[in-house]
């Protein structure tokens, strides 16, 4: 038995030397740079596959969402190529109608996930708004989103890398990915007529067109299907457009200032936006 | 008596005694009706009227040029006050036409749908094309609940031969008695409607499947159909879901419908008794489908009734006719408790597929948290489609679409037998529905 053990040990160590597959050493190095959490945001099966393909040059270095700009720079230095422009992107939750603001028609007692609730419509009167069961929280690989006491998701902007997992998970398409420098958002997705929308949610867009008139950029905000919609390619920020909103559903950069994860955890859920 | 049935299935408490002995009453004409432009499976209609137009009862107000679609008709005489999205009992908002009743019409207008006198229908002069056209222009859909356009079922492709018609009088959903009462009160009309449907597809035989717990309907239909040699009444064992198309075909003819196929693949067309009644009205009285029988029942209703209701009547009006809702009610469902759809508001209208309005009390809807699956295979024994619900539900829940497809998830008829049986209270159908949605999305993407 002992002899057999020694024989196989020697055999295996020789086989290991002889049959070793030569891997590009760059892959190993690339792997050490990228976060290695297999989040899947790049669309590839794993971080190892990403490392292989980035070394081959199949995919751009800035594809790794989790790593962001820093990793892109390191990778391009490693591979000796120019760093492409990497834009920081973040997830934005475009609904503010939590339990305090919106009307509940009925109590939903089924399976407590957004996807399941959305089949029957859930209990919320607004059929466009956030259901608040936290499918986005479960989907986030970075713990960068949580449901606050008002049943609305809060994104921690110091942790979010804009991977887009929450966007996929949200059955009502409320979460969107936008560049960091986009400040102006309409935090509503309700396409009902103004009178209907106002009855069911205090912070719904009633399509009064005031913001479209106040916005400095011509055509920066448009009313599409009873909903003020920011034309993101034209208008990045506008303080004026937010001033006269009767339901206060349009904001210019309010969230990003005060929803860091530390802020949220230290102040408790109630105090967060 | 030798009762036929299918394998698997469940035996829920039927609770039909609330309304089974009560005749069909006419619901008063409502002040306002909301008529959704899509009440059927298929393409939604386009409105044919404008805001402010005067319409008369039975006037066609919505239609579209598509094969899988049916027109909608005004159910009261009055004025169109709005055309906009309105809440819909199947969830969401649907473009609807709102008609305000004219003032000169009282709310007790006579109702020729519910007149009891028997008049024979001469079908020998009608061709199958005539029948199909009449059924289509009357806006008739499957009235069992699924609301599939009837004329589509009556137009089988050339290569498929239909040799039998099954008229579905099972009404296996607990609480509901609409079909039962229709069979007792309008049995002859149903028989003539069935004969017309048979003629439309050139079949030679009609089977009328009735569950054995509807003794009055069974004996009456048997007696009335005695002199029609092509009609055979089949008594069926009381079991849920006996009234599901595929289960009914299996029980009556012992034929299997292939997975993903239609009854016409087995050479059969299945129609509800309500549909046969509507077909009779369309052919004999030239009346479009503007009313249907709705069972308003449940422990939460003060005075349960079977009502002949105009399509578009808001649920709240129908419930008021039945004395309103009791204190402590919990849940309002459109349809039966097994497959019905819980409603979050009462201003939704009665549509062509509304077979019942069920109000349950707090104590009827107690639902514990679900527990882990103990692999007892109760759901496998209960599933009438012979699927494996406990596996499918996990595939649905965790978005494993390929496995879901492989295990035949699309064959699920969402009857609810698995969730009913589960000792761990797992919402299996709910998860399978997620799987079906995901699979459909994935297939759309890849196409």
């Amino acid at each position: 038995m002992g002899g057999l053990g020694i024989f196989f040990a020697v055999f295996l160590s020789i086989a290991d030397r002889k049959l070793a597959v030569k891997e590009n050493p760059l892959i190993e190095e690339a792997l050490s740079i990228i976060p290695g959490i297999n989040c899947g945001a790049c669309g590839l099966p794993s971080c190892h596959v990403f490392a292989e393909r980035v070394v081959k040059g199949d995919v751009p270095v800035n594809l790794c969402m989790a790593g962001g700009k820093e990793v892109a720079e390191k990778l391009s230095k490693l591979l000796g190529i120019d760093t492409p422009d990497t834009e920081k992107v973040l997830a934005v939750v475009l609904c503010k109608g939590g339990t305090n603001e919106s009307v509940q028609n009925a109590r939903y007692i089924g399976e407590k996930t957004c996807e399941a609730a959305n089949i029957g419509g859930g209990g919320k009167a607004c059929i466009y708004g956030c259901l608040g069961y936290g499918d986005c929280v479960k989907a986030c690989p970075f713990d960068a989103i949580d449901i606050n006491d008002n049943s609305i998701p809060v994104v921690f902007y110091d942790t979010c890398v804009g991977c887009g997992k929450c966007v996929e998970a949200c059955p009502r398409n409320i979460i969107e990915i936008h560049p960091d420098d986009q400040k102006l958002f309409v935090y509503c997705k309700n396409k009902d007529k103004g009178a209907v929308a106002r009855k069911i949610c205090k912070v719904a867009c009633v399509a009064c067109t005031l913001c479209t008139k106040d916005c400095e950029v011509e055509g920066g905000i448009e009313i599409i299907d009873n909903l003020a919609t920011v034309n993101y390619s034209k208008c990045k920020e506008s303080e004026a457009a937010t001033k006269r909103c009767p339901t206060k559903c349009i904001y210019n950069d309010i969230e990003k200032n005060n929803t860091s994860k530390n802020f949220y955890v230290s102040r408790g859920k109630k105090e967060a936006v | 008596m030798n009762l036929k049935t299918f394998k698997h299935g469940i035996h829920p408490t039927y609770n039909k005694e609330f309304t089974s002995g009560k005749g069909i009453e006419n619901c008063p004409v409502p002040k306002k009706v909301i008529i959704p432009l899509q009440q059927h499976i298929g393409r939604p209609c386009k409105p044919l009227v404008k805001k402010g137009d005067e319409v008369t009862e039975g006037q066609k107000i919505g239609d579209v040029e598509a094969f899988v679609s049916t027109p909608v008709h005004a159910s009261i005489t009055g004025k169109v006050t709005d055309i906009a999205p309105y809440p819909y009992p199947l969830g969401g908002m649907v473009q609807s036409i709102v008609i305000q009743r004219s003032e000169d019409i009282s709310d007790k207008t006579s109702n020729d749908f519910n007149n009891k006198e028997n008049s024979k229908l001469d079908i020998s002069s009608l061709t199958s094309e005539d029948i199909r056209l009449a059924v289509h222009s009357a806006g008739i859909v499957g009235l069992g609940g699924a609301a599939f356009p009837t004329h589509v079922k009556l137009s089988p492709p050339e290569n498929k031969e239909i040799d039998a018609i099954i008229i579905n009088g099972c009404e296996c959903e607990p609480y509901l008695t609409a079909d039962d009462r229709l069979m007792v009160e309008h049995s002859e009309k149903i028989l003539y409607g069935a004969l017309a449907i048979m003629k439309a597809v050139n079949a030679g035989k009609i089977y009328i499947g009735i569950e054995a717990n509807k003794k009055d309907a069974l004996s009456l239909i048997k007696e009335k159909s005695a002199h029609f040699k092509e009609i055979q009444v089949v008594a069926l064992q009381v079991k849920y879901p006996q009234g599901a198309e595929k289960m009914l075909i299996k029980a009556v003819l012992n034929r299997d419908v292939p997975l993903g196929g239609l009854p016409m693949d087995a050479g059969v067309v299945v129609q509800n008794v309500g549909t046969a009644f509507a077909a009779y009205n369309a052919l004999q009285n030239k009346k479009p489908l503007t009313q249907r029988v709705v069972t308003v029942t449940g422990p939460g209703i003060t005075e349960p009734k079977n009502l002949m209701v105009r399509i578009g009547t808001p649920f709240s009006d129908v419930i008021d006719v039945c004395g309103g809702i009791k204190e402590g009610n919990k849940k309002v469902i459109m349809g039966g408790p097994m497959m019905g759809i819980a409603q979050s508001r009462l201003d939704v209208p009665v549509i062509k597929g509304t077979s019942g309005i069920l109000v349950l009390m707090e104590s009827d809807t107690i639902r514990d948290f679900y527990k882990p699956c103990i692999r007892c295979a109760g759901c496998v024994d209960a599933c009438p489609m012979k699927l494996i619900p406990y596996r499918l539900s996990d595939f649905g829940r965790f978005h494993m679409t390929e496995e879901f497809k492989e295990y035949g998830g699309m064959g699920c008829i969402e009857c609810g037998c698995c969730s009913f049986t589960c000792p761990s209270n797992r919402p299996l159908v709910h998860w399978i529905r997620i799987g079906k949605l995901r699979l459909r999305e994935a297939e759309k993407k890849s196409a």
Side-chain angles (χ1 to χ4, degrees), chain B residues 12-83:
Chain B
T13 323
Y14 282 93
N15 288 324
K16 300 221 185 220
E17 64 282 357
F18 284 107
T19 49
S20 59
K22 293 183 179 171
I24 301 169
E25 289 175 40
N26 289 333
C27 184
V29 186
K31 288 214 164 56
K32 169 184 103 166
V33 290
I34 306 158
I35 298 174
L37 285 166
Q38 180 165 33
Q39 304 184 25
H40 47 265
I41 292 172
R43 185 94 58 92
C45 293
K46 292 204 172 67
L48 300 177
V49 288
K50 291 188 307 294
K51 204 168 161 176
D53 282 4
E54 297 281 342
V55 292
T56 50
E57 188 186 330
Q59 187 184 330
K60 190 153 83 173
I61 53 172
D63 201 357
V64 72
E65 286 283 318
F67 181 58
V68 186
S69 184
T70 56
V72 291
H73 301 81
S75 56
I76 57 173
T77 302
K79 196 174 175 185
V80 177
T81 53
D82 198 7
I83 300 176

Side-chain angles (χ1 to χ4, degrees), chain A residues 152-168:
Chain A
I152 288 290
V154 184
V155 180
F156 311 133
Y157 286 105
D158 53 346
T159 326
C160 176
V161 297
C163 68
K165 286 270 152 182
C166 48
V167 179
E168 267 171 46

Side-chain angles (χ1 to χ4, degrees), chain B residues 133-446:
Chain B
L133 265 178
V135 164
H136 177 245
S137 59
I140 297 176
V141 298
L143 293 180
F148 190 77
T150 301
H151 69 278
V152 180
K153 273 192 184 179
L154 299 187
S155 326
E158 297 261 313
N159 55 354
K160 285 187 181 132
E161 204 180 313
I162 306 293
D163 62 348
I165 301 286
I166 299 180
I167 298 296
N168 185 351
C170 295
E171 200 160 56
C172 57
E173 274 272 3
Y175 288 101
L176 303 186
T177 54
D179 290 353
D180 183 13
R181 290 312 305 176
L182 207 56
M183 283 190 284
V184 171
E185 291 174 33
H186 301 283
S187 49
E188 214 148 78
K189 293 181 184 177
I190 290 168
L191 293 179
Y192 281 109
L195 286 169
I197 289 167
M198 181 185 82
K199 181 135 196 199
V201 291
N202 296 319
K205 189 88 185 156
I206 298 175
Y207 297 91
I208 302 182
I210 303 171
E211 277 191 351
N213 61 354
K214 297 167 191 62
K215 290 199 178 64
D216 294 352
L218 198 53
S219 57
L220 194 68
I221 294 263
K222 249 188 194 158
E223 183 197 313
K224 289 273 167 73
S225 65
H227 62 284
F228 296 109
K229 61 182 185 313
E230 55 275 74
I231 298 179
Q232 188 189 337
V233 180
V234 184
L236 297 161
Q237 201 178 314
V238 183
K239 188 153 98 179
Y240 179 87
Q242 185 71 76
E245 266 183 351
K246 286 163 194 171
M247 276 72 257
L248 189 60
I249 295 168
K250 182 74 187 164
V252 174
L253 295 169
N254 196 20
R255 288 185 203 169
D256 282 308
V257 179
L259 193 66
L262 291 168
M264 61 174 73
D265 295 324
V268 191
V269 165
V270 182
Q271 294 290 0
N272 184 268
V273 288
T275 317
F277 176 65
Y280 169 85
N281 274 315
L283 290 163
Q284 176 73 11
N285 306 329
K286 307 278 177 280
K287 283 266 175 191
L289 178 64
T290 55
Q291 304 186 21
R292 68 154 298 146
V293 188
V294 177
T295 307
V296 189
T297 183
I301 287 276
T302 314
E303 208 186 320
K305 276 178 183 171
N306 293 302
L307 290 172
M308 187 64 101
V309 182
R310 279 159 205 265
I311 283 157
T313 311
F315 275 26
S316 47
D317 286 19
V318 181
I319 289 170
D320 284 347
V321 174
C322 300
I325 297 181
K326 281 186 205 160
E327 277 291 305
N329 67 82
K330 177 74 179 290
K331 200 172 193 178
V332 179
I333 298 172
M334 183 189 100
M338 298 299 292
M339 287 190 70
I341 292 154
Q343 299 299 315
S344 61
R345 51 203 298 172
L346 289 181
D347 53 354
V348 292
V350 168
I351 57 169
K352 289 174 184 173
T354 309
S355 47
I357 298 172
L358 174 64
V359 183
L360 297 174
M361 303 293 273
E362 178 91 47
S363 53
D364 303 315
T365 55
I366 291 174
R367 191 147 143 190
D368 283 344
F369 286 111
Y370 64 83
K371 298 172 211 75
C373 174
I374 54 167
R375 297 289 192 276
C376 67
C379 52
V380 182
D381 278 346
C383 181
M385 290 301 289
K386 294 166 189 143
L387 300 171
I388 312 174
Y390 77 95
R391 298 282 286 157
L392 281 176
S393 65
D394 282 352
F395 293 149
R397 196 176 160 205
F398 300 119
H399 307 156
M400 296 159 77
T401 27
E402 267 165 41
E403 288 88 343
F404 187 82
K405 195 179 178 182
E406 205 175 297
Y407 275 68
M410 285 319 253
C412 171
I413 57 167
E414 298 173 21
C415 62
C417 289
C418 49
S419 304
F420 180 86
T421 328
C422 185
S424 290
N425 282 319
R426 292 171 75 77
L428 298 166
V429 186
H430 207 150
W431 288 328
I432 294 174
R433 286 184 72 178
I434 293 178
K436 284 171 92 171
L437 274 179
R438 285 267 162 175
L439 184 56
R440 248 178 247 140
E441 266 170 33
E443 273 170 359
K444 224 184 246 172
K445 240 183 233 172
S446 64

Side-chain angles (χ1 to χ4, degrees), chain B residues 3-17:
Chain B
L3 298 176
K4 291 184 172 178
T5 192
F6 61 102
K7 276 188 182 160
H8 297 187
I10 53 165
H11 297 279
T13 323
Y14 282 93
N15 288 324
K16 300 221 185 220
E17 64 282 357

